[in-house]
């Protein structure tokens, strides 16, 4: 397969999400096996779908731009951060730059450029129902808050005129599909202003003062599991990333939790007093007497 997903879709690396979607739709129709009977059509359709799957997701696209296709190959061994590759049956990598991914024989959880699945492409462009297609279960969408997804929540909903209670387990992510009785529920998770999710890991930023970064301190950090004390060492630099193990999101299957990563932001003083200025000048002069502070 061509390893350049942008070339596969025929778009530039600066293409917008809408341009990527438009290019995918055109190629999906062109190479759909039900229309194109050439021997390589099915493989080309698969190639186009894979490229769109990555480039249509902003987080996956960012990872692809940085690490290429190696980060998305099933069973790829060690990922870019020394963890198992992020793909595989329900697999996910470690660290703050990994993603969950589900494989399967159908495309029920895949975004086909505005179509619900490949068969919708078939219906819209060729008319009728694709041959041999199984009947789909009814699917309903529900929107929940970020912390409801983290902790789990019970919702009272009305489906087909009937009030029903559905229990959403802790750890679901945006796009998760949950099976209830004779229907499925597609979960949409609202973003949170404080936390950013990467798989089962969470990333947040914490602002500290210039003096705290220089002298070191013990600070309090808000995580999805509650407040945690974090010791930052002397000389902490901007954008330093600290890992709080088991303070992330609970695994939806099995035990354990992801990690919480804290990115340190240093607040520089805009106005300082005469005394502070004098102390900093003394600090600078003392530094000149040494070869290096580091």
């Amino acid at each position: 397969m061509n390893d350049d997903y942008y070339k596969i879709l025929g778009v530039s690396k600066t293409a917008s999400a809408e341009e990527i979607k438009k290019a995918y739709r055109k190629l999906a129709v062109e190479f759909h096996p039900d229309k194109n009977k050439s021997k390589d059509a099915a493989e080309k359709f698969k190639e186009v779908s894979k490229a769109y799957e990555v480039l249509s997701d902003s987080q996956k696209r960012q990872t692809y731009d940085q690490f290429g296709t190696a980060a998305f190959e099933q069973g790829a061994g060690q990922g870019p951060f020394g963890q198992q590759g992020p793909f595989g049956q329900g697999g996910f990598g470690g660290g703050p730059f990994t993603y969950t991914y589900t494989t399967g024989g159908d495309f029920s959880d895949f975004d086909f450029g505005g179509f619900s699945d490949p068969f919708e492409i078939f219906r819209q462009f060729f008319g009728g129902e694709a041959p041999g297609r199984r009947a789909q279960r009814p699917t309903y969408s529900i929107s929940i808050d970020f912390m409801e997804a983290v902790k789990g929540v019970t919702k009272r909903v009305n489906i087909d005129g009937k009030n029903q209670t559905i229990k959403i387990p802790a750890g679901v992510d945006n796009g998760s599909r949950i099976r209830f009785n004779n229907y499925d529920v597609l979960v949409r998770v609202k973003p949170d202003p404080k936390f950013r999710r990467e798989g089962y890991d969470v990333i947040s930023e914490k602002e500290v003062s210039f003096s705290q970064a220089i002298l070191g301190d013990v600070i309090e950090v808000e995580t999805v599991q509650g407040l945690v004390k974090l010791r930052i060492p002397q000389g902490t630099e901007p954008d330093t990333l600290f890992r709080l193990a088991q303070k992330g999101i609970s695994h939806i299957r099995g035990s354990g939790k992801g990690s919480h990563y804290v990115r340190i932001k240093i607040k520089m003083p805009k106005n300082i007093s005469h005394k502070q200025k004098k102390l900093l000048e003394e600090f600078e002069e003392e530094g000149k007497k040494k070869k290096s502070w580091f």
Side-chain angles (χ1 to χ4, degrees), residues 26-95:
K26 179 181 178 181
L27 293 171
V29 172
E30 179 181 351
F31 293 107
H32 196 288
D34 289 308
K35 180 182 179 183
N36 192 324
K37 301 301 182 181
S38 63
K39 61 180 181 180
D40 59 344
E43 188 66 20
K44 189 66 178 178
F45 182 79
K46 180 180 177 182
E47 184 177 306
V48 166
S49 298
K50 180 63 179 178
Y52 177 73
E53 175 196 347
V54 173
L55 298 185
S56 63
D57 185 301
S58 59
Q59 293 176 336
K60 292 179 184 178
R61 182 177 179 180
Q62 183 179 358
T63 300
Y64 169 74
D65 288 342
Q66 190 171 3
F67 300 105
T69 57
F72 300 96
E73 292 177 1
Q74 187 169 341
Q78 294 297 316
F81 293 90
Q83 301 289 341
Q84 184 70 25
F87 293 103
Q89 186 64 36
F92 52 88

Side-chain angles (χ1 to χ4, degrees), residues 258-275:
S259 298
H260 187 108
Y261 291 84
V262 183
R263 192 181 302 279
I264 298 298
K265 297 294 182 182
I266 299 177
K267 184 179 181 180
M268 300 299 292
K270 294 181 179 179
N271 300 300
I272 60 175
S273 66
H274 177 74
K275 183 178 180 180

Side-chain angles (χ1 to χ4, degrees), residues 31-234:
F31 293 107
H32 196 288
D34 289 308
K35 180 182 179 183
N36 192 324
K37 301 301 182 181
S38 63
K39 61 180 181 180
D40 59 344
E43 188 66 20
K44 189 66 178 178
F45 182 79
K46 180 180 177 182
E47 184 177 306
V48 166
S49 298
K50 180 63 179 178
Y52 177 73
E53 175 196 347
V54 173
L55 298 185
S56 63
D57 185 301
S58 59
Q59 293 176 336
K60 292 179 184 178
R61 182 177 179 180
Q62 183 179 358
T63 300
Y64 169 74
D65 288 342
Q66 190 171 3
F67 300 105
T69 57
F72 300 96
E73 292 177 1
Q74 187 169 341
Q78 294 297 316
F81 293 90
Q83 301 289 341
Q84 184 70 25
F87 293 103
Q89 186 64 36
F92 52 88
F97 307 98
T98 55
Y99 308 94
T100 57
Y101 176 74
T102 303
T103 59
D106 60 26
F107 298 91
S108 57
D109 296 323
F110 186 81
D111 177 10
F112 281 84
F115 299 100
S116 63
D117 57 31
F119 299 102
E120 186 175 334
I121 297 175
F122 185 95
R123 286 193 302 272
Q124 178 150 337
F125 291 96
F126 312 119
E129 188 68 45
R133 188 192 181 190
R134 296 176 297 174
Q136 283 190 319
R137 291 162 55 88
T139 300
Y140 301 91
S141 179
I142 188 170
S143 179
I144 63 176
D145 294 332
F146 183 88
M147 289 305 300
E148 289 178 329
V150 172
K151 300 293 185 181
V153 66
T154 298
K155 291 285 187 180
R156 188 76 173 167
V157 297
N158 185 287
I159 297 177
D160 294 334
K162 297 179 181 179
N163 290 324
Q164 301 186 42
T165 300
I166 60 174
K167 185 176 181 181
I168 300 175
V172 296
D173 201 353
N174 186 50
S176 293
R177 185 181 291 260
I178 305 172
R179 177 163 293 194
F180 288 98
N181 300 323
N182 61 340
Y183 60 89
D184 291 348
V185 173
L186 187 64
V187 180
R188 301 297 185 192
V189 181
K190 301 174 186 176
D192 188 275
K194 295 176 293 185
F195 302 123
R196 180 162 61 88
R197 178 171 179 168
E198 299 283 1
Y200 289 112
D201 297 329
V202 177
I203 304 172
S204 68
E205 294 182 351
K206 179 67 177 179
E207 190 174 75
V208 300
S209 67
F210 174 74
S211 57
Q212 284 177 306
I214 293 294
L215 301 175
D217 199 1
V218 176
I219 61 175
E220 206 167 52
V221 176
E222 184 178 1
T223 75
V224 295
Q225 303 297 336
L227 293 175
V228 176
K229 291 189 181 297
L230 171 66
R231 181 179 296 278
I232 58 173
Q234 295 179 6

